[in-house]
Amino acid sequence: MAYTSTIHTPAKLLISISTACMIMLSMNASHAIQVYKSIGTHGEVKYSQHAPQEGRNIEVIEFRSDGRQNNAGQLAGKTEANQNTPTQSAEEQRVAQLEARIKDQEAQANAQRCQSLRNNLTNLNVGGRIYEMDGDGKRQYLDGREIELKRERVQQAITQYCNGAAT
């Protein structure tokens, strides 16, 4: 019997070591590595181990120690109220940026037009001899009635395009 107990002792030791290893592996697998996925200001996708300060649609991706995802697709900081809002795709964001740029350019062009109209009104109000160039490049001087008509047209254009603000 002494011989059998020595055989069981290494077997028991082997079983206890393998059990301990399995417990350690399962504990190690429960420790997830968090990676933050977000969309940058220019629509690019960014991955980081640290929570981003800025960014849209921040998503937390957890990886187990064996490399597989844990809780895939869970969004960070999302509440039920804002989970229902549709997220913009990169193409939609690019279109929105282009529309904003076009709107800004139109506003700048309108501001330049308004400034030109105000300058014309100022010139018409100053007085003196005012002329227009004809098709041949010759000056055609305006009389008082023509100047007054031009002044009224410029004032109407300012009212229409420049929110009514005249000098």
Side-chain angles (χ1 to χ4, degrees), residues 2-166:
Y3 183 74
T4 8
S5 68
T6 56
I7 294 175
H8 289 301
T9 304
K12 286 182 183 179
L13 183 62
L14 183 62
I15 290 173
S16 63
I17 290 174
S18 61
T19 304
C21 287
M22 289 172 54
I23 290 172
M24 288 176 62
L25 285 175
S26 67
M27 286 175 54
N28 194 18
S30 67
H31 295 293
I33 299 169
Q34 288 187 340
V35 176
Y36 295 89
K37 175 183 173 184
S38 62
I39 298 176
T41 55
H42 301 291
E44 72 278 7
V45 178
K46 296 181 177 183
Y47 294 91
S48 174
Q49 291 180 344
H50 306 286
Q53 298 296 326
E54 295 178 6
R56 295 171 288 207
N57 303 334
I58 300 169
E59 183 178 346
V60 176
I61 303 171
E62 291 185 359
F63 291 97
R64 300 187 323 202
S65 63
D66 61 359
R68 293 186 292 175
Q69 282 190 8
N70 188 21
N71 299 332
Q74 183 178 17
L75 295 178
K78 286 282 196 170
T79 61
E80 288 183 23
N82 61 11
Q83 277 181 349
N84 295 331
T85 59
T87 57
Q88 286 185 329
S89 69
E91 181 67 20
E92 290 171 333
Q93 291 172 357
R94 189 176 72 77
V95 168
Q97 288 173 347
L98 289 174
E99 287 174 347
R101 187 181 303 155
I102 289 170
K103 186 176 179 181
D104 185 45
Q105 289 173 349
E106 288 174 350
Q108 288 177 356
N110 193 38
Q112 289 175 347
R113 183 182 328 132
C114 288
Q115 186 61 45
S116 176
L117 288 169
R118 288 185 181 110
N119 290 342
N120 288 343
L121 184 62
T122 300
N123 289 338
L124 290 168
N125 287 334
V126 167
R129 293 189 70 182
I130 296 177
Y131 63 89
E132 291 181 337
M133 301 296 279
D134 65 6
D136 296 330
K138 295 183 181 179
R139 294 181 183 179
Q140 296 292 320
Y141 288 94
L142 304 178
D143 63 13
R145 181 182 55 81
E146 292 171 326
I147 292 173
E148 186 59 37
L149 285 172
K150 277 220 171 275
R151 188 179 296 135
E152 288 176 10
R153 286 188 202 129
V154 170
Q155 183 60 50
Q156 287 173 354
I158 289 173
T159 302
Q160 181 179 355
Y161 296 112
C162 306
N163 299 324

